Amino acid sequence: AESWADKAITIQKAKEIPSRELLLLKSRILLKQGKLEPAGLLLRTYLAEYPNDPDFLYYLGNIYFDLKSWNRSYLYFLSLRNVLLD
């Protein structure tokens, strides 16, 4: 599944920004493998393209919580709260 997600991201990068669903799939695969930092980097890279996406913010908050980066985790969870309240 990871190699197929990589191929799909590569194909979509050539055309445009990868789809939200594809990025979330790739990050979930990385999380299942225990690769927290690469999953966080992937989501952070495309966060500017999907700034108010609750899934991105939720995953980033959890990733940085697990990495014990409390300030970043708090930042993403606070952003998620603001998105949900708007």
Side-chain angles (χ1 to χ4, degrees):
E2 183 179 7
S3 65
W4 282 101
D6 287 336
K7 288 177 187 178
I9 288 174
T10 303
I11 290 169
Q12 280 199 351
K13 272 186 185 178
K15 296 179 184 176
E16 57 189 51
I17 300 163
S19 71
R20 169 191 176 276
E21 291 78 16
L22 185 56
L23 294 169
L24 289 172
L25 172 65
K26 175 66 178 179
S27 66
R28 288 178 62 196
I29 292 168
L30 291 170
L31 290 173
K32 292 273 186 189
Q33 295 174 343
K35 299 177 182 176
L36 299 176
E37 289 185 21
L41 179 62
L42 176 70
L43 292 174
R44 263 195 355 256
T45 301
Y46 292 100
L47 184 60
E49 304 301 328
Y50 304 99
N52 294 326
D53 189 287
D55 292 323
F56 273 56
L57 297 171
Y58 175 76
Y59 281 128
L60 284 166
N62 281 319
I63 289 168
Y64 286 108
F65 183 85
D66 290 342
L67 291 172
K68 296 180 176 52
S69 180
W70 313 121
N71 291 337
R72 282 188 179 184
S73 178
Y74 182 73
L75 171 74
Y76 290 119
F77 282 134
L78 188 59
S79 297
L80 175 62
R81 177 188 167 274
N82 291 338
V83 166
L84 294 177
L85 292 178
D86 282 344

